[in-house]
Amino acid sequence: MKITINDNPIDRSFSDKMHLGDVLNIIQSDMVSSQDVITTIHINGQELQAGQLTEWQDRFLCEFKSINIEIMAKTLFASSGLRIMAGHLEESEALRNQVVDALAQGQSQKAMQLLSDYLQLWDMVQKTLISACHLMDVDLENTDFEIEGIKVSEVIARLTEQLEQIKMTLEAGDSVMLGDIMDYEFGEICEGWCVVMHQLSDQFEQRDDSSHSDFE
């Protein structure tokens, strides 16, 4: 059995009769810094999915040939996740324009499908933001961090309110207003969220655990 972290062999051996789950827990507690996070686990060259981990945790090490655990600094993991989602938002203008065009042409079914895809992206954006801040122990409700002189919590609250307006308009079936919001307001909303995520990414990357943080 070969066990590596970021493709580097670990300086420790385990009995082949130990359970996979126990070994992974030991590695995480004893060999992974509190400033790092496990991003992926490969077993026999294949990435281990969340469901598989639950199923395989009681299997013995002797059943596997190799385990590679990939880790990354929390700051980099959180900031890169936010930047990736910001990039997706910046590239979503084409999809937003397709929604607007479909609504203008009275293609309601097509517009609703495109809008569903668009709102799924926004759901992922919000979840990524929450997860990144949780990982970095940042309480967005109480932090004093500001963007252009406005507390980030207020910026996010405003943007979230605008998203809720979209959902209310959708539920009301007002396709004209929905088209107007998507066409004239959502570009600004998108820019606002991208600014928030890039600014937070910058702050995460600049954090130094030995010094005072803007989030403390």
Side-chain angles (χ1 to χ4, degrees), residues 58-109:
D58 292 328
R59 293 176 63 176
F60 296 113
L61 282 188
C62 60
E63 300 180 52
F64 310 106
K65 294 181 179 179
S66 66
I67 298 175
N68 182 56
I69 300 170
E70 296 181 6
I71 64 174
M72 183 185 295
K74 285 183 178 180
T75 52
L76 180 58
F77 184 70
S79 63
S80 62
L82 290 177
R83 292 197 193 282
I84 288 172
M85 292 312 302
H88 288 328
L89 275 186
E90 291 164 354
E91 296 171 358
S92 68
E93 183 178 359
L95 179 57
R96 178 169 62 86
N97 289 336
Q98 289 179 42
V99 174
V100 173
D101 290 343
L103 287 170
Q105 296 170 14
Q107 300 175 332
S108 299
Q109 185 174 355

Short mmCIF file of all heavy atoms in Angstrom, two decimals, residues 58-109:
data_model
loop_
_atom_site.label_atom_id
_atom_site.label_comp_id
_atom_site.label_asym_id
_atom_site.label_seq_id
_atom_site.Cartn_x
_atom_site.Cartn_y
_atom_site.Cartn_z
N ASP A 58 -15.15 1.53 6.03
CA ASP A 58 -14.91 0.33 6.85
C ASP A 58 -14.13 -0.75 6.10
O ASP A 58 -13.94 -1.85 6.63
CB ASP A 58 -16.24 -0.24 7.34
CG ASP A 58 -16.92 0.68 8.35
OD1 ASP A 58 -16.20 1.36 9.11
OD2 ASP A 58 -18.17 0.71 8.39
N ARG A 59 -13.68 -0.43 4.89
CA ARG A 59 -12.89 -1.41 4.14
C ARG A 59 -11.43 -1.37 4.61
O ARG A 59 -10.94 -0.35 5.09
CB ARG A 59 -12.98 -1.13 2.64
CG ARG A 59 -14.38 -1.37 2.07
CD ARG A 59 -14.47 -1.00 0.61
NE ARG A 59 -13.60 -1.83 -0.23
CZ ARG A 59 -13.57 -1.74 -1.57
NH1 ARG A 59 -14.38 -0.87 -2.19
NH2 ARG A 59 -12.76 -2.51 -2.28
N PHE A 60 -10.73 -2.51 4.49
CA PHE A 60 -9.36 -2.60 4.97
C PHE A 60 -8.38 -2.03 3.94
O PHE A 60 -8.62 -2.09 2.72
CB PHE A 60 -9.00 -4.06 5.27
CG PHE A 60 -9.81 -4.66 6.38
CD1 PHE A 60 -10.72 -5.68 6.12
CD2 PHE A 60 -9.65 -4.21 7.68
CE1 PHE A 60 -11.45 -6.24 7.15
CE2 PHE A 60 -10.39 -4.77 8.72
CZ PHE A 60 -11.30 -5.79 8.45
N LEU A 61 -7.26 -1.52 4.43
CA LEU A 61 -6.24 -0.97 3.54
C LEU A 61 -5.73 -1.99 2.53
O LEU A 61 -5.36 -1.63 1.40
CB LEU A 61 -5.05 -0.44 4.36
CG LEU A 61 -5.19 0.91 5.04
CD1 LEU A 61 -3.85 1.33 5.62
CD2 LEU A 61 -5.71 1.98 4.09
N CYS A 62 -5.68 -3.26 2.92
CA CYS A 62 -5.16 -4.29 2.03
C CYS A 62 -5.98 -4.44 0.75
O CYS A 62 -5.54 -5.07 -0.22
CB CYS A 62 -5.08 -5.63 2.76
SG CYS A 62 -6.65 -6.25 3.38
N GLU A 63 -7.17 -3.85 0.73
CA GLU A 63 -8.02 -3.92 -0.46
C GLU A 63 -7.62 -2.90 -1.52
O GLU A 63 -8.14 -2.92 -2.64
CB GLU A 63 -9.49 -3.71 -0.08
CG GLU A 63 -10.04 -4.74 0.90
CD GLU A 63 -11.48 -4.49 1.25
OE1 GLU A 63 -12.30 -4.35 0.32
OE2 GLU A 63 -11.82 -4.40 2.45
N PHE A 64 -6.71 -2.00 -1.17
CA PHE A 64 -6.33 -0.93 -2.10
C PHE A 64 -4.83 -0.97 -2.39
O PHE A 64 -4.04 -1.46 -1.59
CB PHE A 64 -6.70 0.44 -1.52
CG PHE A 64 -8.12 0.52 -1.03
CD1 PHE A 64 -8.40 0.51 0.33
CD2 PHE A 64 -9.18 0.57 -1.93
CE1 PHE A 64 -9.71 0.58 0.79
CE2 PHE A 64 -10.49 0.64 -1.48
CZ PHE A 64 -10.75 0.63 -0.11
N LYS A 65 -4.45 -0.41 -3.54
CA LYS A 65 -3.05 -0.37 -3.92
C LYS A 65 -2.39 0.96 -3.59
O LYS A 65 -1.22 1.02 -3.24
CB LYS A 65 -2.91 -0.65 -5.42
CG LYS A 65 -3.32 -2.06 -5.82
CD LYS A 65 -3.12 -2.26 -7.32
CE LYS A 65 -3.48 -3.68 -7.73
NZ LYS A 65 -3.32 -3.88 -9.20
N SER A 66 -3.14 2.05 -3.74
CA SER A 66 -2.54 3.37 -3.50
C SER A 66 -3.60 4.38 -3.06
O SER A 66 -4.78 4.27 -3.43
CB SER A 66 -1.85 3.88 -4.77
OG SER A 66 -2.81 4.11 -5.79
N ILE A 67 -3.15 5.34 -2.26
CA ILE A 67 -3.99 6.45 -1.83
C ILE A 67 -3.17 7.73 -1.96
O ILE A 67 -2.05 7.81 -1.45
CB ILE A 67 -4.44 6.31 -0.36
CG1 ILE A 67 -5.28 5.05 -0.17
CG2 ILE A 67 -5.23 7.54 0.09
CD1 ILE A 67 -5.66 4.79 1.29
N ASN A 68 -3.69 8.69 -2.68
CA ASN A 68 -3.04 10.01 -2.75
C ASN A 68 -4.02 11.06 -2.27
O ASN A 68 -5.15 11.16 -2.77
CB ASN A 68 -2.59 10.35 -4.17
CG ASN A 68 -1.88 11.70 -4.21
OD1 ASN A 68 -0.92 11.94 -3.49
ND2 ASN A 68 -2.37 12.60 -5.05
N ILE A 69 -3.59 11.82 -1.27
CA ILE A 69 -4.43 12.86 -0.68
C ILE A 69 -3.90 14.21 -1.14
O ILE A 69 -2.73 14.53 -0.93
CB ILE A 69 -4.40 12.77 0.86
CG1 ILE A 69 -4.93 11.41 1.30
CG2 ILE A 69 -5.22 13.90 1.48
CD1 ILE A 69 -4.73 11.12 2.77
N GLU A 70 -4.76 14.98 -1.77
CA GLU A 70 -4.35 16.30 -2.23
C GLU A 70 -4.83 17.35 -1.24
O GLU A 70 -6.01 17.39 -0.87
CB GLU A 70 -4.91 16.58 -3.63
CG GLU A 70 -4.37 15.63 -4.69
CD GLU A 70 -4.91 15.93 -6.07
OE1 GLU A 70 -5.63 16.95 -6.22
OE2 GLU A 70 -4.62 15.16 -7.00
N ILE A 71 -3.90 18.20 -0.81
CA ILE A 71 -4.24 19.25 0.13
C ILE A 71 -3.85 20.60 -0.45
O ILE A 71 -3.02 20.69 -1.37
CB ILE A 71 -3.56 19.06 1.50
CG1 ILE A 71 -2.03 19.16 1.37
CG2 ILE A 71 -3.96 17.73 2.11
CD1 ILE A 71 -1.31 19.11 2.70
N MET A 72 -4.47 21.66 0.09
CA MET A 72 -4.20 23.01 -0.37
C MET A 72 -4.39 23.95 0.81
O MET A 72 -5.18 23.68 1.71
CB MET A 72 -5.18 23.37 -1.51
CG MET A 72 -4.96 24.75 -2.13
SD MET A 72 -6.25 25.13 -3.37
CE MET A 72 -5.91 23.88 -4.61
N ALA A 73 -3.66 25.05 0.81
CA ALA A 73 -3.83 26.04 1.86
C ALA A 73 -5.27 26.57 1.83
O ALA A 73 -5.84 26.79 0.76
CB ALA A 73 -2.86 27.19 1.66
N LYS A 74 -5.86 26.73 3.03
CA LYS A 74 -7.24 27.20 3.11
C LYS A 74 -7.43 28.52 2.36
O LYS A 74 -8.43 28.72 1.67
CB LYS A 74 -7.65 27.38 4.57
CG LYS A 74 -7.93 26.10 5.32
CD LYS A 74 -8.40 26.41 6.73
CE LYS A 74 -8.73 25.12 7.49
NZ LYS A 74 -9.20 25.41 8.87
N THR A 75 -6.47 29.43 2.53
CA THR A 75 -6.59 30.73 1.89
C THR A 75 -6.67 30.59 0.38
O THR A 75 -7.51 31.24 -0.27
CB THR A 75 -5.39 31.62 2.26
OG1 THR A 75 -4.17 30.91 2.00
CG2 THR A 75 -5.43 32.00 3.73
N LEU A 76 -5.81 29.74 -0.18
CA LEU A 76 -5.81 29.54 -1.63
C LEU A 76 -7.06 28.82 -2.09
O LEU A 76 -7.65 29.17 -3.13
CB LEU A 76 -4.57 28.75 -2.04
CG LEU A 76 -4.41 28.45 -3.53
CD1 LEU A 76 -4.38 29.76 -4.33
CD2 LEU A 76 -3.16 27.64 -3.80
N PHE A 77 -7.50 27.82 -1.33
CA PHE A 77 -8.69 27.06 -1.70
C PHE A 77 -9.92 27.97 -1.72
O PHE A 77 -10.72 27.93 -2.65
CB PHE A 77 -8.89 25.91 -0.71
CG PHE A 77 -10.04 25.00 -1.06
CD1 PHE A 77 -9.96 24.15 -2.15
CD2 PHE A 77 -11.18 24.97 -0.27
CE1 PHE A 77 -11.03 23.30 -2.47
CE2 PHE A 77 -12.24 24.13 -0.58
CZ PHE A 77 -12.17 23.30 -1.68
N ALA A 78 -10.06 28.79 -0.66
CA ALA A 78 -11.22 29.68 -0.57
C ALA A 78 -11.18 30.75 -1.65
O ALA A 78 -12.19 31.02 -2.33
CB ALA A 78 -11.27 30.32 0.81
N SER A 79 -10.02 31.37 -1.83
CA SER A 79 -9.92 32.47 -2.80
C SER A 79 -10.08 31.95 -4.23
O SER A 79 -10.73 32.60 -5.06
CB SER A 79 -8.59 33.20 -2.64
OG SER A 79 -7.50 32.36 -2.93
N SER A 80 -9.50 30.80 -4.53
CA SER A 80 -9.61 30.27 -5.90
C SER A 80 -11.05 29.89 -6.21
O SER A 80 -11.52 30.09 -7.34
CB SER A 80 -8.69 29.07 -6.09
OG SER A 80 -9.03 28.00 -5.21
N GLY A 81 -11.76 29.35 -5.21
CA GLY A 81 -13.17 29.01 -5.42
C GLY A 81 -14.00 30.24 -5.75
O GLY A 81 -14.86 30.22 -6.65
N LEU A 82 -13.75 31.34 -5.02
CA LEU A 82 -14.48 32.58 -5.28
C LEU A 82 -14.13 33.15 -6.65
O LEU A 82 -15.01 33.63 -7.38
CB LEU A 82 -14.16 33.61 -4.19
CG LEU A 82 -14.73 33.32 -2.80
CD1 LEU A 82 -14.27 34.39 -1.81
CD2 LEU A 82 -16.25 33.25 -2.83
N ARG A 83 -12.87 33.08 -7.02
CA ARG A 83 -12.46 33.63 -8.32
C ARG A 83 -13.05 32.81 -9.47
O ARG A 83 -13.40 33.35 -10.52
CB ARG A 83 -10.94 33.68 -8.42
CG ARG A 83 -10.29 34.71 -7.49
CD ARG A 83 -8.88 35.02 -7.89
NE ARG A 83 -8.16 35.75 -6.85
CZ ARG A 83 -8.30 37.04 -6.60
NH1 ARG A 83 -9.16 37.75 -7.31
NH2 ARG A 83 -7.59 37.63 -5.65
N ILE A 84 -13.13 31.50 -9.27
CA ILE A 84 -13.72 30.65 -10.31
C ILE A 84 -15.18 31.02 -10.53
O ILE A 84 -15.65 31.17 -11.67
CB ILE A 84 -13.59 29.17 -9.93
CG1 ILE A 84 -12.12 28.72 -10.07
CG2 ILE A 84 -14.49 28.30 -10.82
CD1 ILE A 84 -11.85 27.32 -9.53
N MET A 85 -15.92 31.20 -9.42
CA MET A 85 -17.33 31.54 -9.54
C MET A 85 -17.51 32.95 -10.10
O MET A 85 -18.44 33.21 -10.87
CB MET A 85 -18.02 31.43 -8.18
CG MET A 85 -18.15 30.01 -7.65
SD MET A 85 -18.79 28.82 -8.87
CE MET A 85 -20.37 29.54 -9.29
N ALA A 86 -16.61 33.87 -9.73
CA ALA A 86 -16.67 35.21 -10.30
C ALA A 86 -16.46 35.14 -11.82
O ALA A 86 -17.13 35.85 -12.58
CB ALA A 86 -15.62 36.11 -9.66
N GLY A 87 -15.55 34.27 -12.23
CA GLY A 87 -15.32 34.08 -13.66
C GLY A 87 -16.55 33.55 -14.37
O GLY A 87 -16.88 34.00 -15.48
N HIS A 88 -17.25 32.61 -13.73
CA HIS A 88 -18.48 32.07 -14.32
C HIS A 88 -19.53 33.17 -14.47
O HIS A 88 -20.25 33.23 -15.48
CB HIS A 88 -19.04 30.95 -13.45
CG HIS A 88 -18.24 29.68 -13.51
ND1 HIS A 88 -17.56 29.29 -14.64
CD2 HIS A 88 -18.01 28.71 -12.57
CE1 HIS A 88 -16.94 28.14 -14.41
NE2 HIS A 88 -17.20 27.78 -13.16
N LEU A 89 -19.62 34.05 -13.46
CA LEU A 89 -20.58 35.15 -13.54
C LEU A 89 -20.22 36.11 -14.68
O LEU A 89 -21.10 36.57 -15.42
CB LEU A 89 -20.61 35.93 -12.22
CG LEU A 89 -21.51 35.41 -11.11
CD1 LEU A 89 -21.51 36.39 -9.95
CD2 LEU A 89 -22.93 35.18 -11.60
N GLU A 90 -18.93 36.41 -14.80
CA GLU A 90 -18.48 37.32 -15.85
C GLU A 90 -18.77 36.75 -17.23
O GLU A 90 -18.98 37.50 -18.19
CB GLU A 90 -16.98 37.60 -15.68
CG GLU A 90 -16.68 38.43 -14.43
CD GLU A 90 -15.22 38.39 -14.03
OE1 GLU A 90 -14.45 37.61 -14.66
OE2 GLU A 90 -14.82 39.10 -13.09
N GLU A 91 -18.79 35.43 -17.34
CA GLU A 91 -19.04 34.77 -18.62
C GLU A 91 -20.52 34.48 -18.85
O GLU A 91 -20.89 33.96 -19.91
CB GLU A 91 -18.25 33.46 -18.69
CG GLU A 91 -16.73 33.64 -18.66
CD GLU A 91 -15.99 32.33 -18.50
OE1 GLU A 91 -16.66 31.28 -18.36
OE2 GLU A 91 -14.74 32.35 -18.51
N SER A 92 -21.36 34.83 -17.87
CA SER A 92 -22.79 34.46 -17.94
C SER A 92 -23.62 35.47 -18.72
O SER A 92 -24.83 35.27 -18.87
CB SER A 92 -23.37 34.31 -16.53
OG SER A 92 -23.42 35.57 -15.87
N GLU A 93 -23.00 36.54 -19.21
CA GLU A 93 -23.77 37.57 -19.92
C GLU A 93 -24.48 36.99 -21.14
O GLU A 93 -25.62 37.37 -21.44
CB GLU A 93 -22.85 38.71 -20.35
CG GLU A 93 -23.62 39.85 -21.04
CD GLU A 93 -22.72 41.01 -21.42
OE1 GLU A 93 -21.51 40.95 -21.12
OE2 GLU A 93 -23.23 41.99 -22.01
N ALA A 94 -23.82 36.07 -21.83
CA ALA A 94 -24.44 35.47 -23.02
C ALA A 94 -25.73 34.74 -22.66
O ALA A 94 -26.74 34.86 -23.36
CB ALA A 94 -23.46 34.52 -23.69
N LEU A 95 -25.70 34.00 -21.54
CA LEU A 95 -26.89 33.28 -21.10
C LEU A 95 -27.98 34.26 -20.70
O LEU A 95 -29.16 34.06 -21.02
CB LEU A 95 -26.54 32.36 -19.92
CG LEU A 95 -27.68 31.55 -19.32
CD1 LEU A 95 -28.36 30.69 -20.38
CD2 LEU A 95 -27.17 30.68 -18.17
N ARG A 96 -27.61 35.34 -20.02
CA ARG A 96 -28.60 36.36 -19.62
C ARG A 96 -29.23 36.99 -20.86
O ARG A 96 -30.45 37.20 -20.89
CB ARG A 96 -27.92 37.43 -18.76
CG ARG A 96 -28.85 38.55 -18.32
CD ARG A 96 -28.20 39.41 -17.25
NE ARG A 96 -27.00 40.06 -17.73
CZ ARG A 96 -26.99 41.23 -18.37
NH1 ARG A 96 -28.14 41.86 -18.61
NH2 ARG A 96 -25.86 41.78 -18.76
N ASN A 97 -28.43 37.26 -21.87
CA ASN A 97 -28.97 37.85 -23.10
C ASN A 97 -29.92 36.89 -23.80
O ASN A 97 -30.91 37.32 -24.41
CB ASN A 97 -27.83 38.24 -24.04
CG ASN A 97 -27.05 39.45 -23.55
OD1 ASN A 97 -27.57 40.26 -22.78
ND2 ASN A 97 -25.81 39.58 -23.98
N GLN A 98 -29.63 35.59 -23.71
CA GLN A 98 -30.54 34.60 -24.31
C GLN A 98 -31.89 34.61 -23.60
O GLN A 98 -32.93 34.46 -24.24
CB GLN A 98 -29.91 33.21 -24.23
CG GLN A 98 -28.72 33.01 -25.15
CD GLN A 98 -28.11 31.63 -25.00
OE1 GLN A 98 -28.82 30.63 -24.90
NE2 GLN A 98 -26.79 31.56 -24.97
N VAL A 99 -31.87 34.78 -22.28
CA VAL A 99 -33.12 34.86 -21.53
C VAL A 99 -33.92 36.08 -21.98
O VAL A 99 -35.13 35.99 -22.23
CB VAL A 99 -32.84 34.96 -20.01
CG1 VAL A 99 -34.15 35.18 -19.25
CG2 VAL A 99 -32.15 33.70 -19.51
N VAL A 100 -33.24 37.23 -22.07
CA VAL A 100 -33.90 38.47 -22.48
C VAL A 100 -34.50 38.33 -23.88
O VAL A 100 -35.65 38.72 -24.13
CB VAL A 100 -32.90 39.65 -22.45
CG1 VAL A 100 -33.54 40.91 -23.05
CG2 VAL A 100 -32.44 39.92 -21.02
N ASP A 101 -33.75 37.76 -24.81
CA ASP A 101 -34.22 37.60 -26.18
C ASP A 101 -35.43 36.67 -26.24
O ASP A 101 -36.41 36.94 -26.97
CB ASP A 101 -33.11 37.04 -27.07
CG ASP A 101 -31.99 38.05 -27.30
OD1 ASP A 101 -32.22 39.25 -27.05
OD2 ASP A 101 -30.88 37.62 -27.70
N ALA A 102 -35.36 35.57 -25.49
CA ALA A 102 -36.49 34.61 -25.49
C ALA A 102 -37.75 35.25 -24.93
O ALA A 102 -38.85 35.03 -25.46
CB ALA A 102 -36.11 33.38 -24.69
N LEU A 103 -37.61 36.04 -23.88
CA LEU A 103 -38.77 36.73 -23.30
C LEU A 103 -39.34 37.74 -24.29
O LEU A 103 -40.57 37.85 -24.45
CB LEU A 103 -38.36 37.45 -22.01
CG LEU A 103 -38.10 36.56 -20.79
CD1 LEU A 103 -37.47 37.36 -19.67
CD2 LEU A 103 -39.40 35.90 -20.31
N ALA A 104 -38.47 38.48 -24.97
CA ALA A 104 -38.91 39.49 -25.93
C ALA A 104 -39.65 38.86 -27.11
O ALA A 104 -40.55 39.47 -27.68
CB ALA A 104 -37.71 40.30 -26.41
N GLN A 105 -39.26 37.64 -27.46
CA GLN A 105 -39.87 36.95 -28.59
C GLN A 105 -41.07 36.10 -28.17
O GLN A 105 -41.65 35.40 -29.00
CB GLN A 105 -38.82 36.08 -29.28
CG GLN A 105 -37.68 36.88 -29.90
CD GLN A 105 -36.53 36.01 -30.36
OE1 GLN A 105 -36.67 34.79 -30.46
NE2 GLN A 105 -35.38 36.62 -30.64
N GLY A 106 -41.43 36.18 -26.91
CA GLY A 106 -42.59 35.43 -26.43
C GLY A 106 -42.36 33.94 -26.30
O GLY A 106 -43.32 33.17 -26.21
N GLN A 107 -41.11 33.52 -26.27
CA GLN A 107 -40.78 32.09 -26.13
C GLN A 107 -40.65 31.75 -24.64
O GLN A 107 -39.55 31.56 -24.12
CB GLN A 107 -39.48 31.78 -26.88
CG GLN A 107 -39.56 32.09 -28.37
CD GLN A 107 -38.22 31.90 -29.08
OE1 GLN A 107 -37.16 32.04 -28.48
NE2 GLN A 107 -38.28 31.58 -30.37
N SER A 108 -41.80 31.68 -24.00
CA SER A 108 -41.83 31.55 -22.54
C SER A 108 -41.15 30.29 -22.03
O SER A 108 -40.38 30.32 -21.07
CB SER A 108 -43.28 31.59 -22.05
OG SER A 108 -43.89 32.81 -22.39
N GLN A 109 -41.45 29.16 -22.66
CA GLN A 109 -40.88 27.89 -22.21
C GLN A 109 -39.35 27.91 -22.32
O GLN A 109 -38.64 27.50 -21.39
CB GLN A 109 -41.45 26.73 -23.01
CG GLN A 109 -40.99 25.36 -22.51
CD GLN A 109 -41.68 24.21 -23.23
OE1 GLN A 109 -42.58 24.42 -24.05
NE2 GLN A 109 -41.27 22.99 -22.94
#
